[in-house]
Amino acid sequence: MMASHRPANHYCVSRPVYSKRAFDEDNDRQIPESRSFREKLSASSKCSSSRAKQVLKGLFPILDWLLQYPTKQWLPSDVISGVSTGLVCCLQGLAYALLVSVGPVYGLYAAFFPILTYFFLGTSRHLSVGPFPVTCLMVGSVVLTLAPDEDFMRPGNESMVNGTLLESESMEVDISAREAQRIVVASTMTVLIGLFQLGMGVFHVGFLVRYLSDPLVGGFTTAAAVHVLISQLKMVLSVPTHSHNGFFSLAYVLSDVFRNIKQTNVADLVAGLLTIVTVMAVKEINAKFQHKIPVPIPIEVIVTVVATGISYAVDLNSRYGASIVHSIPRGFVPAQFPNIELFGEILGSSFSTAVVGYAVSVSVAKVYAAKHDYKIDGNQELIAFGISNIFCGCFSGFVATTALSRTAIQESTGGKTQVAGLISALMVLIVIVAVGPLLQPLQKSVLAGIVIANLKGMFMQICDVPILWRQNRTDCFIWVFTCISCIVLGLDVGLLTGVVFELGTVVVRSQFPTCSTLGNVPGTDIYRNFKDYKNINEIPGIKIFKCNSPIYFANIDYFKEQLRATVGFDAVRVFKKRNKALKKIHKLIKKGKLKITENGLVPVAPLGVDNEAFESEQDPEHVEGGAQQEVEDGSRQEIEVEVQVDWTSSLPVNVTVPKVNIHSLVMDFSAVSFLDMMSAKSLRLVGLNSACGQDEFIVLDDIYLGQDFNTDMSL
């Protein structure tokens, strides 16, 4: 059975051919109104009740939905979602505190305080605000750099007689002093991160995050997952390691782990491995049966409760030397201001962490905003997270953004608004003021296992690499390069290196743009690239050249090279050679060695005879100014005669002029977004040379090259 081809639809468009100037005149182009800075400031400073209401709602988005909150329909769902999310928040706060290298109770603070401010200032209704492993690890690397164990060593096992130190067998870490300094560094960095985010929001520079493309963020977060895994490996094995940061830090940490592998605590190892396997298995069940299970199984809570009970009952710390949480005090610590003296040392790391935290939170927020049909204000999100981090840092918390797993739980369990977030904060508050001390027997390897189990989503991003390779190899290179850089150089330097590489690919792609020669599809007015189709015909004597990139100083030379390769000659060289030949021809004509006939230029033989035939062949009426232009003394003025030369035939002068096999050059600039002055001058030179060479030069697009560009520019 033969397949029948559906007949193609036809259309016909007929309109005048415009130049830009003619188009502007015919359609009355409007000139943008320019206002002075004073006028703009005056207009923005005007106040009215409607404007004040708009500004207030912009600053406090809660006013937009709280007054219309349907309590009966949404409150039960928000309560269930808040309780489920709050339990996960508590455990992730305890676990992620290990990444920051501070006590677990400070993780509870980081899971509590940011929610309070984001409730009033945030524009996302589904984000679960709190610690995120990537940003926690970035803060933790700074903490370990500025407060390493080596700075807090003191003599151990001291013997004193009459106030005199007799011996000191070994050195030990002053844990209380180290803990105090590390929380100062973490909270100070959190405040500085908040200041950066607040400043970016106030000055509307959230667009900087757009330079973090999806492949770059994917490579960065995957590398961060590797850093988190290695950092928690020492917790699962319970082996001592030194503090390493910067270049090749992962290699040094792994070296310490394998060097001390014989000191592994079996009780911690078994607990950590069981936690990883159990949490990952139950999470798979939650994902597979999410439509059948009304509320996901809170496996982290179950594992924590069971592990705490076993540790307490068996006394793992005393009998088997297991590493436990030890101290989770009730209540809050007093508010304290950051140590401003540290700002200079943590400036760069704080800015990169601020950008990463904002990028992660906004990308997640946009996903759920699109799903539930509401909008996210990027600048307001910066303000919300900035104030939240400043508030959290002043109460000894560390940086907060959002975690994908918590946000997914909050949304999947029926959360409608940030009321669910407020309920989750209430659950964290209960743990802080009442339940916290009950978790003191919990093994740290269990918390490390919870952290590792939650890294699965990040590691699964590796599956994007083959897809990127098939779709866009440049994006694939960005992903791989950023991931390797962050693993080798560290997260902050690696991220900067990845951004530079990403911008470099943009520069390279624009510096070496894709140029093509177009041909005609037979029987149509459609023009396509010769390399893409077989059934394409070239129009005799016409070249159609297309450029798919902005043309500017960096790529104009490459553009001219591609243009020369397309047309087969250099327009500037042809122009100069033709001018040189014309000058020599004019000299021979004046000397009488050449004459102009209907058949072209004919040499006069023998040479040296006066060219009387030249005058007889010329029609005086066709010479501009008359047959004889007299001057005062009666002599005849020399006349510059226009000579028509057939450049395809042999010339009567000894000048080699490149052959030109086309009569028209069409440039398709429909994909060119802008031109700079250097490229405009180069194009103007090509156009004028073509015009002087009696060829046609047409630019297809609304590209303006200046008032004095006389080459025809057809639209």
Side-chain angles (χ1 to χ4, degrees):
M1 182 177 179
M2 296 182 61
S4 59
H5 295 280
R6 184 178 179 181
N9 296 325
H10 296 274
Y11 69 92
C12 180
V13 177
S14 178
R15 67 170 178 83
V17 177
Y18 285 108
S19 67
K20 185 180 187 303
R21 187 175 302 169
F23 184 84
D24 291 347
E25 291 175 355
D26 289 353
N27 295 277
D28 297 331
R29 184 174 183 270
Q30 297 181 1
I31 300 176
E33 181 183 357
S34 60
R35 295 189 299 172
S36 64
F37 176 76
R38 184 176 180 181
E39 292 173 341
K40 293 179 181 179
L41 184 62
S42 176
S44 62
S45 301
K46 291 181 180 179
C47 186
S48 63
S49 58
S50 59
R51 182 173 176 80
K53 185 178 180 181
Q54 182 181 0
V55 171
L56 193 62
K57 282 188 175 182
L59 187 58
F60 297 100
I62 186 177
L63 300 176
D64 217 13
W65 57 266
L66 187 61
L67 299 178
Q68 305 172 358
Y69 184 79
T71 306
K72 293 183 179 180
Q73 290 84 2
W74 286 6
L75 185 59
S77 299
D78 279 340
V79 171
I80 295 173
S81 174
V83 171
S84 303
T85 309
L87 294 174
V88 178
C89 279
C90 295
L91 297 177
Q92 289 189 352
L94 293 171
Y96 294 158
L98 300 180
L99 298 175
V100 188
S101 300
V102 296
V105 68
Y106 300 104
L108 295 176
Y109 299 158
F112 173 72
F113 287 108
I115 299 176
L116 303 180
T117 48
Y118 189 85
F119 176 78
F120 296 98
L121 301 173
T123 58
S124 174
R125 302 176 189 175
H126 294 88
L127 278 188
S128 175
V129 182
F132 180 58
V134 175
T135 52
C136 289
L137 189 65
M138 296 178 75
V139 174
S141 64
V142 176
V143 169
L144 291 178
T145 301
L146 298 183
D149 290 342
E150 291 77 9
D151 292 353
F152 302 95
M153 302 302 293
R154 65 180 182 184
N157 296 326
E158 301 172 355
S159 300
M160 303 290 292
V161 176
N162 298 326
T164 303
L165 180 64
L166 296 181
E167 62 178 347
S168 178
E169 296 181 359
S170 62
M171 302 293 289
E172 64 180 11
V173 179
D174 187 348
I175 296 178
S176 59
R178 183 194 65 181
E179 186 76 15
Q181 181 61 23
R182 286 184 174 181
I183 194 58
V184 167
V185 175
S187 59
T188 299
M189 184 173 176
T190 300
V191 171
L192 186 56
I193 290 170
L195 291 174
F196 274 125
Q197 291 176 332
L198 180 60
M200 292 168 65
V202 169
F203 292 103
H204 291 238
V205 292
F207 66 88
L208 291 175
V209 181
R210 297 174 187 172
Y211 289 101
L212 303 181
S213 64
D214 288 344
L216 184 140
V217 173
F220 172 76
T221 52
T222 304
V226 175
H227 278 271
V228 173
L229 175 64
I230 300 302
S231 69
Q232 296 307 292
L233 184 61
K234 62 183 181 182
M235 292 289 182
V236 173
L237 298 174
S238 190
V239 295
T241 60
H242 293 92
S243 299
H244 300 288
N245 289 289
F247 298 171
F248 306 105
S249 59
L250 290 186
Y252 294 131
V253 172
L254 285 175
S255 176
D256 288 347
V257 169
F258 288 117
R259 186 183 302 114
N260 301 319
I261 195 71
K262 294 182 179 180
Q263 302 181 35
T264 299
N265 187 288
V266 177
D268 285 334
L269 177 61
V270 171
L273 292 178
L274 287 176
T275 300
I276 295 171
V277 172
T278 305
V279 171
M280 292 184 68
V282 176
K283 281 183 174 291
E284 284 295 319
I285 295 174
N286 286 338
K288 188 174 182 179
F289 300 100
Q290 59 180 344
H291 299 295
K292 298 181 180 180
I293 303 176
V295 177
I297 301 172
I299 185 59
E300 290 99 337
V301 178
I302 296 173
V303 167
T304 302
V305 171
V306 172
T308 303
I310 293 175
S311 177
Y312 177 77
V314 182
D315 195 8
L316 294 176
N317 178 242
S318 299
R319 297 179 61 181
Y320 299 100
S323 177
I324 63 174
V325 172
H326 281 297
S327 175
I328 301 182
R330 284 191 177 95
F332 299 95
V333 297
Q336 59 179 356
F337 288 100
N339 186 354
I340 302 178
E341 296 178 356
L342 294 175
F343 278 7
E345 301 179 68
I346 60 177
L347 200 64
S349 300
S350 298
F351 180 76
S352 59
T353 307
V355 172
V356 170
Y358 171 69
V360 170
S361 61
V362 168
S363 60
V364 175
K366 286 182 177 179
V367 170
Y368 289 101
K371 182 177 180 180
H372 294 277
D373 194 23
Y374 63 90
K375 294 183 178 180
I376 294 295
D377 185 346
N379 288 308
Q380 181 60 29
E381 286 293 294
L382 274 170
I383 294 174
F385 277 105
I387 294 177
S388 297
N389 280 318
I390 293 173
F391 182 59
C392 180
C394 290
F395 283 91
S396 300
F398 49 82
V399 63
T401 172
T402 186
L404 283 68
S405 58
R406 286 199 313 271
T407 302
I409 292 174
Q410 182 165 316
E411 190 269 344
S412 63
T413 52
K416 305 294 183 183
T417 64
Q418 282 299 326
V419 171
L422 200 61
I423 300 297
S424 68
L426 180 61
M427 298 298 297
V428 178
L429 179 63
I430 294 173
V431 174
I432 292 174
V433 299
V435 183
L438 299 179
L439 299 175
Q440 291 179 358
L442 179 63
Q443 292 171 267
K444 289 184 178 180
S445 63
V446 173
L447 295 176
I450 292 174
V451 173
I452 294 172
N454 281 283
L455 297 176
K456 179 189 173 184
M458 295 186 191
F459 281 118
M460 291 302 294
Q461 294 178 119
I462 297 177
C463 299
D464 296 340
V465 175
I467 299 174
L468 289 173
W469 180 259
R470 291 192 297 267
Q471 294 179 347
N472 190 315
R473 294 190 177 182
T474 302
D475 288 343
C476 182
F477 290 144
I478 292 173
W479 196 104
V480 174
F481 182 85
T482 304
C483 183
I484 295 175
S485 298
C486 292
I487 291 175
V488 174
L489 305 178
L491 293 180
D492 47 359
V493 178
L495 177 62
L496 178 61
T497 307
V499 171
V500 172
F501 179 80
E502 179 188 46
L503 296 178
T505 61
V506 176
V507 172
V508 170
R509 279 184 282 183
S510 64
Q511 188 170 358
F512 302 100
T514 302
C515 300
S516 57
T517 305
L518 304 185
N520 178 249
V521 178
T524 70
D525 58 353
I526 299 174
Y527 296 85
R528 290 293 183 268
N529 187 359
F530 272 108
K531 296 181 180 179
D532 295 339
Y533 300 92
K534 294 181 179 180
N535 190 25
I536 297 290
N537 295 333
E538 182 177 3
I539 303 174
I542 299 176
K543 288 288 186 180
I544 305 176
F545 182 75
K546 182 174 183 179
C547 180
N548 295 317
S549 169
I551 305 175
Y552 61 107
F553 65 92
N555 65 5
I556 185 62
D557 290 334
Y558 179 81
F559 173 85
K560 290 190 291 186
E561 290 175 5
Q562 295 297 307
L563 181 60
R564 282 195 294 267
T566 298
V567 300
F569 61 88
D570 185 348
V572 176
R573 184 169 179 268
V574 171
F575 174 69
K576 291 180 179 180
K577 289 290 186 180
R578 287 185 178 184
N579 270 350
K580 184 178 180 180
L582 284 172
K583 288 179 181 179
K584 289 190 175 184
I585 290 172
H586 276 294
K587 287 182 180 180
L588 293 177
I589 291 174
K590 290 177 182 179
K591 292 179 179 180
K593 297 180 181 180
L594 284 176
K595 66 177 181 179
I596 302 176
T597 66
E598 293 180 356
N599 297 325
L601 296 171
V602 177
V604 177
L607 295 177
V609 180
D610 291 338
N611 188 10
E612 298 176 355
F614 168 73
E615 298 174 355
S616 63
E617 291 289 336
Q618 297 299 312
D619 186 355
E621 295 180 0
H622 291 86
V623 178
E624 185 178 355
Q628 296 186 9
Q629 296 180 352
E630 301 292 337
V631 292
E632 294 181 358
D633 58 357
S635 63
R636 188 169 60 189
Q637 184 182 10
E638 292 184 357
I639 302 171
E640 187 75 20
V641 181
E642 182 179 353
V643 180
Q644 297 292 336
V645 180
D646 183 7
W647 299 106
T648 61
S649 61
S650 60
L651 300 177
V653 293
N654 189 21
V655 178
T656 303
V657 179
K659 300 295 183 183
V660 178
N661 299 320
I662 64 172
H663 59 75
S664 297
L665 171 62
V666 180
M667 290 189 178
D668 183 358
F669 279 3
S670 57
V672 177
S673 58
F674 71 88
L675 301 169
D676 67 353
M677 289 303 299
M678 185 173 177
S679 58
K681 289 179 180 178
S682 298
L683 287 175
R684 186 183 298 118
L685 182 62
V686 172
L688 292 175
N689 291 338
S690 298
C692 293
Q694 301 175 357
D695 299 320
E696 186 178 3
F697 176 76
I698 301 175
V699 177
L700 297 178
D701 200 3
D702 186 12
I703 303 292
Y704 183 52
L705 298 182
Q707 295 287 351
D708 57 344
F709 187 37
N710 298 319
T711 303
D712 179 28
M713 300 181 62
S714 302
L715 296 177

